[in-house]
Amino acid sequence: MAKGPINADPRVYGSASAAPSFSKEKHSRMYLIRRLWQYLGKNRLLLALALLLSVSSSLLSLYGPKLSGEAINAIDLGAGRVDFDTVFRCVALMAGCYVVSAVLGYLLSAVMIRLSKRVSRQMRRDIFESMTRLPVSFFDRFQTGNIISVVTYDVDTVNQSLSSDLLQILQSVITVVVSFAMMLSIAPKLLLVFVFTVPATMLFTRFLANRVRPMFRRRSAKLGELNGFVEEMLSGQKTIRAYAREDEVLSRFDGKNREAVDAYTEAEANGTITGPSVTFINNVSLTLVCVFGSLLFLGGDIMIGDLSSFVQYSRKFSGPINEVANIIAELQSAFAAAERVFSLIDAEPEQPDAADAVELTDTDGCVELRDVDFGYDAEKTILHDLSLRAEPGSLTAIVGPTGAGKTTVINLLMRFYDVTDGAVLVDGRDVRELTRASLRRAYTMVLQDTWLFHGTIYENIAYGKPGATMEEVVAAAKAARIHSYIMRLPDGYNTVLTDNGTSISKGQKQLLTIARAMLPEAQMLILDEATSNVDTETEEEIQAAMRELMRGKTCFVIAHRLSTIRSADHILVMDAGRVVEQGTHDELLRAGGFYASLYRSQFATE
């Protein structure tokens, strides 16, 4: 199936500036937090350990300023005496607290990294599982590169936020609470300074977060579009070079790259305003603490050591607020990425089978399309009042010009889409009354676009029948006229194919996929332009071999070369989504209609 191009119909993709969304639902921030918590909650032991380490590390670190104040108070400035025992004790405790705190902090980082890795692994699994349930129409609408961007970039962005930002926020909360309690015990009056500065910080960061989140959502979308464009252009390198369109492609890439960079710059530039602004507010609060603290010291309401401890705690109190403000931009990026991740996970799956759907077993292979109307878009009907009946064991050819609706018929037979009106029947049963899995197992399909995966030739052919023996694979390869070629390879059937089989020709790849299709014990076969990549002589050999091998099976063939379907039991001639003629090859030639015109024009050019 062709993937949607970059400049696709805006009715499908939305405007160029819109963020591609895989589901109709827009997720709120609280919804995203709850979904992320569901992933974290599956690792309760690691979470509990992280919480214990975080609390222990923060408390030890926060005990330092208290000890520092005691050490300073051990100095009697008026008498010129110093209680060195107290000073040394405090210094030793401070050193011990900071060393242990650092070790616990390292262990905490290791635990959070492990936790985030588990979450990202589960996320990717959920995304991939969701994609296996999505209808074919989903992959017709969205670019492969855009989907890959979610699986890689967006999941990594969420993972980075969980491993660093979440840890920082957790420690910041503990630091703020403990620092506030310590300041309250030292000098409650000085806390009045934070009555003004803390609300100012919170209101400002909230305002900026709401402002920049759409920017980060747009940044993720533009990066996804750029990845989709790159994937599309890389897959079409030969065509681009054949038509000497390198400059045009580069120009289009520059445009996509510029949009991605502009979106990235806009988001980062606005996101980074938070840190310096909050730092300024915190510096103002520190100045006020120093001024009013000095007045309290002069009035005898506070000792110099306690004032020193209060200043240190005030910095620790303000520091986390500043740190959280600095990671607001990263959090917005993580929320935008999480929204795309959950949109893909929550994308509407293929409609479930009917509650009373039954398994299709012991298929005779009688297929019928009855008064079918269908359109990919509800506003545009492609097939009009289409009727077709294929008897068991017959060969039905579907021909017509490009865009006539031939492949659409195949999509309906396999139930990749459901008809708008009318019915598709197998053995007299409406396919909507059957389970999709059993219906699709009843077919074997060979497409024009070959698909081979990284693995041996044996594994690629045996993919059509799990557990197939080497003898069965060899028999299928011989019938497909590819056995002799395989045996000329250094490792024969154990030769490893890489990168979708780029080391072999298109024709050989097509023959391998045909051999794969010969293995399953299915009663119905679909060949969609299956011999388009082989020469005429090889095509005739394959046709003869397949006719022998597929004897007794119901076959549907879409072919542009009309000379290859002369032996078809029934030929369906389509034009503009309608059946204009039906009959055998000889009958249609004698009729002198549309098919005869197509055949003569093609014969004249061959």
Side-chain angles (χ1 to χ4, degrees):
M1 293 293 174
K3 304 299 182 291
I6 288 291
N7 56 350
D9 189 334
R11 290 176 299 177
V12 177
Y13 287 89
S15 64
S17 61
S21 179
F22 302 109
S23 74
K24 297 178 181 179
E25 182 181 3
K26 283 291 184 181
H27 302 121
S28 66
R29 188 180 306 168
M30 288 306 300
Y31 173 84
L32 295 174
I33 292 174
R34 286 196 301 270
R35 289 293 297 271
L36 288 171
W37 176 252
Q38 290 175 0
Y39 282 91
L40 291 170
K42 295 178 181 178
N43 301 274
R44 289 183 176 85
L45 290 178
L46 283 178
L47 269 178
L49 179 58
L51 182 61
L52 177 63
L53 290 173
S54 180
V55 171
S56 302
S57 176
S58 298
L59 289 178
L60 288 171
S61 175
L62 289 169
Y63 192 50
K66 182 71 173 176
L67 294 171
S68 173
E70 291 182 12
I72 293 175
N73 287 335
I75 303 173
D76 188 346
L77 296 177
R81 294 194 301 270
V82 178
D83 184 356
F84 284 103
D85 291 339
T86 301
V87 171
F88 290 147
R89 177 179 61 82
C90 291
V91 170
L93 287 174
M94 286 175 62
C97 287
Y98 287 140
V99 169
V100 176
S101 176
V103 173
L104 294 179
Y106 170 78
L107 295 176
L108 176 60
S109 297
V111 169
M112 291 303 297
I113 290 174
R114 186 172 182 179
L115 176 62
S116 65
K117 294 301 182 184
R118 286 189 179 183
V119 170
S120 63
R121 182 172 65 245
Q122 185 61 45
M123 273 188 178
R124 287 196 173 98
R125 189 185 186 284
D126 289 347
I127 291 174
F128 203 82
E129 183 180 356
S130 172
M131 288 193 293
T132 63
R133 299 193 305 265
L134 294 175
V136 172
S137 57
F138 178 90
F139 300 98
D140 288 342
R141 296 196 309 271
F142 294 101
Q143 288 181 302
T144 301
N146 196 19
I147 298 173
I148 292 174
S149 178
V150 175
V151 179
T152 55
Y153 170 77
D154 289 323
V155 172
D156 281 342
T157 300
V158 175
N159 173 48
Q160 178 65 26
S161 181
L162 290 176
S163 62
S164 59
D165 299 339
L166 183 63
L167 172 60
Q168 191 168 350
I169 291 175
L170 178 63
Q171 291 179 318
S172 296
V173 170
I174 296 172
T175 301
V176 167
V177 172
V178 175
S179 296
F180 180 82
M182 297 301 291
M183 288 189 295
L184 184 63
S185 66
I186 294 172
K189 294 180 181 179
L190 286 180
L191 285 176
L192 293 175
V193 171
F194 299 104
V195 172
F196 303 99
T197 57
V198 171
T201 300
M202 295 178 63
L203 290 174
F204 179 76
T205 54
R206 181 179 178 85
F207 162 77
L208 200 61
N210 292 332
R211 182 168 180 264
V212 302
R213 186 182 176 192
M215 299 178 186
F216 280 98
R217 184 186 297 122
R218 180 173 178 269
R219 184 187 78 168
S220 292
K222 289 300 179 182
L223 288 174
E225 289 182 20
L226 180 63
N227 286 341
F229 179 81
V230 171
E231 188 270 339
E232 183 181 341
M233 293 302 106
L234 288 177
S235 63
Q237 274 297 303
K238 291 182 180 178
T239 302
I240 293 170
R241 294 177 184 273
Y243 286 91
R245 304 297 288 271
E246 293 91 341
D247 291 340
E248 178 186 339
V249 168
L250 181 59
S251 176
R252 292 177 61 193
F253 174 81
D254 286 340
K256 297 293 177 184
N257 193 24
R258 183 169 55 253
E259 290 178 359
V261 169
D262 289 346
Y264 192 96
T265 303
E266 181 186 32
E268 292 293 335
N270 284 273
T272 53
I273 293 174
T274 310
S277 301
V278 173
T279 298
F280 171 75
I281 297 174
N282 290 337
N283 286 335
V284 170
S285 70
L286 179 62
T287 302
L288 294 176
V289 166
C290 291
V291 171
F292 291 113
S294 299
L295 294 176
L296 290 176
F297 172 72
L298 293 176
D301 294 331
I302 189 174
M303 297 178 65
I304 188 66
D306 293 335
L307 178 58
S308 172
S309 296
F310 192 97
V311 170
Q312 292 182 67
Y313 280 122
S314 70
R315 292 190 66 85
K316 288 185 175 293
F317 179 80
S318 301
I321 298 176
N322 186 36
E323 291 172 358
V324 171
N326 283 328
I327 65 173
I328 285 295
E330 296 177 21
L331 288 175
Q332 298 312 307
S333 177
F335 282 136
E339 184 174 16
R340 281 164 54 85
V341 168
F342 293 131
S343 290
L344 185 53
I345 292 175
D346 298 337
E348 188 173 351
E350 194 169 41
Q351 289 297 318
D353 295 325
D356 56 350
V358 298
E359 293 281 325
L360 178 61
T361 57
D362 300 326
T363 312
D364 292 330
C366 179
V367 181
E368 183 179 359
L369 279 74
R370 187 180 296 169
D371 304 323
V372 167
D373 290 339
F374 173 76
Y376 294 103
D377 187 334
E379 300 175 359
K380 183 179 180 181
T381 301
I382 295 176
L383 299 182
H384 309 268
D385 194 28
L386 174 63
S387 294
L388 160 69
R389 182 178 178 85
E391 298 295 340
S394 65
L395 172 58
T396 300
I398 306 174
V399 302
T402 301
K406 303 185 295 298
T407 300
T408 300
V409 172
I410 301 304
N411 286 336
L412 296 180
L413 292 177
M414 296 288 291
R415 209 184 165 198
F416 292 145
Y417 295 86
D418 280 328
V419 299
T420 305
D421 196 12
V424 179
L425 301 98
V426 174
D427 293 346
R429 277 185 166 174
D430 192 317
V431 295
R432 288 168 291 193
E433 300 174 358
L434 306 171
T435 61
R436 284 188 178 87
S438 64
L439 172 67
R440 292 167 184 171
R441 282 196 300 267
Y443 284 96
T444 300
M445 195 172 188
V446 180
L447 300 175
Q448 179 180 7
D449 296 328
T450 58
W451 178 71
L452 299 174
F453 56 86
H454 182 93
T456 65
I457 290 178
Y458 164 79
E459 291 170 337
N460 272 274
I461 296 178
Y463 190 82
K465 183 181 179 181
T469 64
M470 180 60 76
E471 291 74 17
E472 291 175 311
V473 169
V474 171
K478 287 181 177 178
R481 304 300 196 267
I482 190 65
H483 173 72
S484 59
Y485 167 75
I486 296 173
M487 296 308 296
R488 290 196 299 270
L489 297 173
D491 297 320
Y493 284 86
N494 292 319
T495 300
V496 176
L497 301 177
T498 59
D499 194 17
N500 197 25
T502 53
S503 58
I504 61 177
S505 71
K506 284 188 175 182
Q508 290 159 348
K509 287 196 290 185
Q510 192 74 73
L511 292 172
L512 288 175
T513 59
I514 291 172
R516 176 194 295 166
M518 292 178 174
L519 280 176
E521 297 174 357
Q523 284 299 113
M524 295 172 287
L525 170 69
I526 293 174
L527 303 174
D528 186 357
E529 308 278 2
T531 57
S532 60
N533 290 322
V534 298
D535 57 72
T536 304
E537 181 180 354
T538 304
E539 185 176 33
E540 291 176 353
E541 293 180 358
I542 292 175
Q543 290 289 339
M546 292 187 69
R547 287 292 290 174
E548 182 66 28
L549 189 63
M550 299 300 171
R551 187 181 300 277
K553 296 185 179 181
T554 307
C555 301
F556 295 90
V557 177
I558 293 178
H560 280 159
R561 295 182 185 175
L562 302 185
S563 58
T564 64
I565 58 168
R566 284 177 290 196
S567 59
D569 300 306
H570 191 75
I571 298 175
L572 193 74
V573 186
M574 298 186 65
D575 188 29
R578 298 182 185 275
V579 177
V580 295
E581 290 179 307
Q582 297 189 57
T584 65
H585 174 75
D586 293 335
E587 289 171 348
L588 292 173
L589 284 184
R590 285 196 300 270
F594 188 61
Y595 177 83
S597 176
L598 285 176
Y599 185 80
R600 285 194 297 267
S601 63
Q602 192 174 103
F603 184 78
T605 59
E606 289 184 348

